[in-house]
Amino acid sequence: MQPRTPLVLCVLLSQVLLLTSAEDLDCTPGFQQKVFRIHQPAEFIEDQSILNLTFSDCKGNDKLRYEVSSPHFRVNSNGSLVALRNITAVGRTLFVHARTPHAEDMAELMIIGGKDIQGSLQDIFKFARTSPVPRQKRSIVVSPILIPENQRQPFPRDVGKVVDSDRPEGSRFRLTGKGVDQEPKGIFRINENTGSVSVTRTLDREVMATYQLFVETTDVNGKTLEGPVPLEIIVIDQNDNRPTFREGPYIGHVMEGSPTGTTVMRMTAFDADDPATDNALLRYNIRQQTPDKPSPNMFYIDPEKGDIVTVVSPALLDRETLENPKYELIIEAQDMAGLDVGLTGTATATIVIDDKNDHSPKFTKKEFQATVEEGAVGVIVNLTVEDKDDPATGAWRAAYTIINGNPGQSFEIHTNPQTNEGMLSVVKPLDYEISAFHTLLIKVENEDPLVPDVSYGPSSTATVHITVRDVNEGPVFSPDPMMVTKRENISVGSVLLTANATDPDSLQHQTIRYSVYKDPAGWLNINPINGTVDTTAVLDRESPFVHNSVYTALFLAIDSGNPPATGTGTLLITLEDVNDNAPFIYPTVAEVCDDAKNLSVVILGATDKDLHPNTDPFKFEIHKPTVPDRVWKISKINNTHALVSLLQNLNKANYNLPIMVTDSGKPPMTNITDLRVQVCSCKNSKVDCNAAGALRWSLSPVLLLWLFSLACL
C-alpha cells in the first residue's frame, strides 16, 4: 500500500466531518482533568461529596466503573468522590481508575495541608489542572491503563482499549514492549482487530509498577501504517505487604539515671507497597513491655519516626534497684497510617540499662589478719570488698594499692577477676629475725572513675596485720661458692681452705657440723667440726671429673635444731697445669707404594693433654739408634706437624719406624711411638698390601744382640 498523500487525508477528514458532530471531533477519551489537589480538612465527613470527577469514553460512558486506591473512599456513578466513614488522615495520594468497554483512564488526587485549615468544603477543595491534555487530531487514541495488582481468575481479561478513528479497512493493531514481546513476555496482548488490550495473568506491583508499551497499526503485510504510540500500563497498588523489620537484632543502651526524654534507639520497618499511598504509610507503637516494673510505661516510641525514648524520671532508671536491668519491648509497625484495616509487623527491641560508677567499693572488714612462715612466698590473705555496681563493668572491678608498710617491696596485691577480692602475696621471703610483724595499709578503687557526686570514703581503706612465724632455717655458707686455686699433683693431705657456715636463727643457740655431699673423684675430706677441707688423693687437671680446669664439690652444713636444717655450699677448685703428660702422635699407620716416585709417606700430628706452655711447639725425631740414616727422613712442617718421607724405594713389606716427639714443658716430656709403614704393590691402579712380606725390623746387629741378652737374663 502506498502512503496516503495530504490530499487523500483531507478527503478522508472531510468525510469524517460529514459523519461526526463537532462535539465528537473535540472529544478525547478519559478524565477531563487528570490531577487534583485537595487540601485536607479537619475531618472527611461520611457520604459528603468531596469533589466531582468528569470522565468520558466519547461513546456515552456505558457500563462506567470507578476504582479507588484507598479503601476509605468510593466514587459514585455520577463521578462524586465521597468518604465511606469519618476519617482524619488518609495519606498523601489517591488514585481513581475509570473504565468502560471503550476507554479507561486514571486520575491522581494529591492530598495536602493539615487539620488547621478552616472553612466550608467548597472553600477547602480547590483543584487545578496541572497536566493539560492536548486535543490532537490523530487516528490512534491511547490512554494510560490502570490495573489493580493481585487480580484473580479468570484470565485473560480486558483492561483497556485502543481507538483508531481513521484506521483503514483491513489494518491491524500491534502491541510491543516489555511484557509483550520482551521479557517478561506474554503478560499483555491486543486484539488486532478491535484494539482491546487484555492481561493474561496476575500482576505484582512490587515486581514491576509500570509497563511502557507501544501501539501501532499495520497493513496485512505487517508494514507500519501509523505509530508507534506509547501506551503506559500502571499497576495499582494493593495493601498486600506487611511491614517488616529487617535490621535486627535491635539492642539499645541507656545509662542509668538518664533524664526523661533520652533517645535510646530507632526502630525502622520496611513496607514493599507503594510509598506514595497509605499502603506503605507506617505508624509505630509499643505493644508490650517486659518486665513491667517499676512502671508499665518506661518507654515511648514516636509513631512516625520510630524513635524510642525514656518517659520515666531518672530516679526510676536506677540499675541497682531494678528487678532486671534489661527490658524487652514488642514493637509493632502498622501500615495504612495505623488504621485498623492496616497490616502489621512486629519486632523485639532489647533495651539495657547501663551501669555508671555511682557506688564506691567498700571493704567488708576494717582489719584483716594473716600469718606467714619466714622464707615462704605466695598468697597469704584474700581481702573482700562489696560494690553494688554491675559486675561486668569497670565500675565494679576493683584495683588495690598498698599505700603504707611495704618499704622493701616484699608484698604485692592483685585482683581476683572472678571474685573481685584482693589477693595479698609475699614476693620476697620474710625474715623472722629481722621483723616478726608487718602492718600494711591497703586502699581499693574502681577501674572506672566515680561519678562526680560520689567519692571514696573511709570504708575504701583497710589495715592488714601480718605475723611472721619462725622456722628452723638451714645454715648458710659464706661465701658461696667457695673458690680456691691449686696446682695439680699437690701432695695428699694438703689443706685447701676452711669452710664457714652460719645459722640464720640467731635467736637460737645451735651447733653446726660439716660433711661431704658430692665429691665426684673422691679427692676431698672436710673436718666435721671446724670445716677444714684437705686432699685425700692427688688432684689431676686432666681427670674427666674436671671441666675447664675447674673441679666442683658440694658440702653440707647441718644445725642441731629439731628437726635439723641443712645448708649446702659449693667449692670450686681451679687446678693449675703441671707438665705431667707426654705428647703422642697420630696417625700410627701409613701406606706407600714400592715404586712410588713421590717418596713422602705421611704427615704426622702431635697433641698433648697439658696446657700451654707445656705443649707445642713439638720436636719430631726418628729414634736413630734403631733406624738406618739413609732410608727415612722426618721434616718439621709447623709447631704441631711433621712430614715422614723415604730417601729410596723399599721392597714390599711392613716396617716399624720409631718416632720420638718432645713437648716444650720445663722439664720437657718425650714419647716414642712406632709408626707402622706398609710398602704395597701398586700396579694397574690397584693397591695390594695383603701380600707384604714378613715384618722387617730395621735393627742393627748390636741392638739385636743386646735384646737377646736381655731375654736370657
Side-chain angles (χ1 to χ4, degrees):
M1 178 181 293
Q2 297 296 325
R4 289 175 284 179
T5 64
L7 178 59
V8 174
L9 289 174
C10 291
V11 172
L12 291 174
L13 181 59
S14 63
Q15 292 174 349
V16 172
L17 290 175
L18 292 174
L19 299 174
T20 309
S21 67
E23 182 181 355
D24 291 335
L25 289 177
D26 249 357
C27 181
T28 299
F31 283 105
Q32 301 307 298
Q33 182 173 330
K34 300 282 189 176
V35 179
F36 298 85
R37 286 197 177 126
I38 305 174
H39 292 271
Q40 182 176 336
E43 186 175 37
F44 289 101
I45 307 302
E46 180 179 355
D47 289 333
Q48 185 172 348
S49 177
I50 298 172
L51 58 83
N52 289 319
L53 303 168
T54 303
F55 175 86
S56 175
D57 65 353
C58 301
K59 299 290 185 178
N61 284 352
D62 183 39
K63 298 182 181 178
L64 174 61
R65 290 191 305 159
Y66 293 98
E67 293 178 347
V68 186
S69 61
S70 171
H72 307 305
F73 298 89
R74 76 167 183 269
V75 178
N76 295 327
S77 59
N78 62 359
S80 174
L81 175 69
V82 298
L84 297 179
R85 62 182 177 86
N86 294 346
I87 48 179
T88 57
V90 296
R92 298 184 294 276
T93 306
L94 299 178
F95 294 97
V96 178
H97 180 212
R99 181 169 62 188
T100 72
H102 304 287
E104 64 179 303
D105 198 2
M106 182 178 69
E108 180 180 1
L109 284 60
M110 301 175 62
I111 301 175
I112 60 177
K115 299 178 182 180
D116 56 339
I117 300 177
Q118 303 295 326
S120 65
L121 289 177
Q122 184 176 359
D123 296 329
I124 292 175
F125 301 120
K126 297 178 180 178
F127 14 93
R129 182 169 179 171
T130 58
S131 299
V133 179
R135 300 186 179 276
Q136 300 176 351
K137 298 297 186 293
R138 64 182 182 183
S139 297
I140 300 177
V141 179
V142 178
S143 297
I145 299 176
L146 282 73
I147 306 175
E149 65 174 333
N150 303 323
Q151 287 183 321
R152 298 181 180 179
Q153 294 285 355
F155 290 106
R157 63 167 65 187
D158 291 341
V159 293
K161 190 172 184 179
V162 177
V163 178
D164 188 348
S165 59
D166 191 20
R167 186 161 64 95
E169 185 176 355
S171 63
R172 301 174 181 177
F173 290 102
R174 181 164 61 190
L175 188 64
T176 59
K178 291 184 178 180
V180 182
D181 57 346
Q182 300 176 28
E183 293 296 339
K185 295 181 179 180
I187 297 178
F188 304 101
R189 64 178 65 163
I190 191 170
N191 187 308
E192 61 181 14
N193 295 318
T194 65
S196 293
V197 178
S198 60
V199 63
T200 63
R201 68 187 75 163
T202 300
L203 301 182
D204 187 348
R205 191 206 66 85
E206 286 69 49
V207 175
M208 186 172 291
T210 61
Y211 295 84
Q212 300 295 329
L213 307 181
F214 297 92
V215 179
E216 58 187 350
T217 57
T218 66
D219 60 18
V220 293
N221 296 320
K223 185 176 182 180
T224 301
L225 299 177
E226 185 176 354
V229 176
L231 169 60
E232 183 180 28
I233 296 182
I234 301 172
V235 183
I236 300 176
D237 186 43
Q238 302 292 321
N239 192 18
D240 57 346
N241 289 277
R242 292 182 178 276
T244 58
F245 291 88
R246 294 179 169 181
E247 301 174 359
Y250 296 92
I251 300 176
H253 293 264
V254 61
M255 188 69 69
E256 65 173 329
S258 296
T260 303
T262 300
T263 300
V264 181
M265 61 192 299
R266 171 171 287 188
M267 298 285 289
T268 303
F270 170 78
D271 195 311
D273 290 319
D274 188 354
T277 68
D278 286 357
N279 297 338
L281 185 59
L282 304 183
R283 293 293 182 264
Y284 301 92
N285 69 89
I286 300 175
R287 291 285 302 274
Q288 181 179 332
Q289 170 191 302
T290 306
D292 58 359
K293 301 289 190 313
S295 168
N297 299 303
M298 299 283 290
F299 307 94
Y300 165 80
I301 187 168
D302 187 301
E304 296 184 2
K305 297 180 180 179
D307 290 337
I308 300 176
V309 299
T310 62
V311 293
V312 294
S313 66
L316 291 182
L317 281 180
D318 186 356
R319 197 200 65 84
E320 286 74 37
T321 61
L322 294 176
E323 178 182 337
N324 187 344
K326 181 187 295 185
Y327 289 87
E328 288 191 351
L329 308 180
I330 305 299
I331 306 299
E332 179 184 74
Q334 187 171 24
D335 60 21
M336 300 302 294
L339 297 177
D340 294 342
V341 294
L343 301 178
T344 62
T346 61
T348 299
T350 301
I351 299 178
V352 180
I353 311 301
D354 289 335
D355 187 39
K356 64 181 179 181
N357 197 8
D358 54 352
H359 295 85
S360 62
K362 298 179 180 179
F363 283 101
T364 58
K365 295 188 295 185
K366 191 62 181 175
E367 295 183 349
F368 293 85
Q369 305 290 331
T371 301
V372 59
E373 291 185 349
E374 66 172 328
V377 294
V379 178
I380 59 174
V381 65
N382 290 322
L383 310 180
T384 54
V385 295
E386 293 179 345
D387 196 316
K388 295 181 180 180
D389 292 312
D390 185 358
T393 66
W396 177 82
R397 290 189 293 269
Y400 297 87
T401 306
I402 302 174
I403 59 177
N404 196 13
N406 191 28
Q409 305 302 310
S410 299
F411 303 93
E412 286 184 359
I413 187 166
H414 300 280
T415 304
N416 186 320
Q418 280 74 41
T419 64
N420 219 27
E421 295 177 343
M423 300 182 295
L424 181 63
S425 304
V426 176
V427 293
K428 292 182 181 179
L430 303 177
D431 192 339
Y432 172 83
E433 284 71 32
I434 295 177
S435 177
F437 300 96
H438 296 268
T439 300
L440 305 180
L441 185 61
I442 312 290
K443 75 172 181 179
V444 61
E445 297 176 331
N446 288 131
E447 290 184 3
D448 292 347
L450 295 173
V451 296
D453 55 341
V454 178
S455 61
Y456 296 104
S459 298
S460 297
T461 59
T463 302
V464 182
H465 300 285
I466 302 167
T467 301
V468 182
R469 190 163 54 210
D470 187 27
V471 297
N472 187 24
E473 302 172 84
V476 178
F477 283 87
S478 179
D480 189 27
M482 301 167 282
M483 293 183 287
V484 65
T485 300
K486 297 292 181 180
R487 290 174 60 86
E488 64 175 332
N489 299 335
I490 61 175
S491 59
V492 176
S494 298
V495 176
L496 301 181
L497 82 166
T498 298
N500 179 39
T502 58
D503 195 335
D505 299 304
S506 58
L507 301 181
Q508 303 178 27
H509 300 287
Q510 299 183 129
T511 59
I512 297 176
R513 294 183 63 83
Y514 299 92
S515 65
V516 177
Y517 180 42
K518 287 186 179 180
D519 179 16
W523 291 342
L524 306 175
N525 175 65
I526 188 169
N527 187 301
I529 304 300
N530 60 22
T532 300
V533 179
D534 56 12
T535 62
T536 59
V538 176
L539 307 182
D540 183 6
R541 193 198 67 83
E542 290 75 36
S543 168
F545 299 106
V546 177
H547 302 284
N548 297 324
S549 300
V550 177
Y551 180 71
T552 302
L554 300 179
F555 299 97
L556 297 179
I558 307 170
D559 65 19
S560 58
N562 186 19
T566 302
T568 303
T570 301
L571 172 62
L572 302 178
I573 305 173
T574 301
L575 296 174
E576 296 178 339
D577 187 41
V578 174
N579 193 19
D580 56 351
N581 290 276
F584 56 90
I585 65 168
Y586 59 90
T588 58
V589 177
E591 293 181 356
V592 66
C593 294
D594 56 358
D595 58 352
K597 294 181 181 180
N598 182 4
L599 297 181
S600 297
V601 177
V602 68
I603 294 176
L604 296 178
T607 187
D608 195 318
K609 293 182 179 180
D610 292 318
L611 298 176
H612 187 77
N614 297 322
T615 55
D616 62 273
F618 298 114
K619 181 180 180 182
F620 296 88
E621 299 175 281
I622 298 175
H623 194 52
K624 292 184 177 181
T626 62
V627 179
D629 290 339
R630 290 173 295 177
V631 177
W632 304 95
K633 179 182 177 181
I634 189 166
S635 306
K636 179 180 178 181
I637 297 177
N638 54 34
N639 289 344
T640 58
H641 291 78
L643 172 66
V644 177
S645 57
L646 287 168
L647 298 176
Q648 64 184 40
N649 291 108
L650 295 178
N651 294 328
K652 182 179 178 181
N654 292 334
Y655 299 87
N656 281 345
L657 180 64
I659 302 297
M660 183 169 64
V661 59
T662 304
D663 63 23
S664 297
K666 294 180 181 180
M669 295 195 71
T670 299
N671 182 29
I672 299 175
T673 304
D674 283 340
L675 171 65
R676 184 183 180 189
V677 180
Q678 293 179 294
V679 180
C680 306
S681 174
C682 304
K683 294 181 179 180
N684 300 325
S685 301
K686 294 183 179 180
V687 178
D688 181 11
C689 298
N690 294 329
L695 179 65
R696 298 191 179 186
W697 297 94
S698 301
L699 301 176
S700 65
V702 176
L703 182 59
L704 289 173
L705 180 62
W706 180 70
L707 291 174
F708 181 76
S709 64
L710 288 176
C712 295
L713 292 178

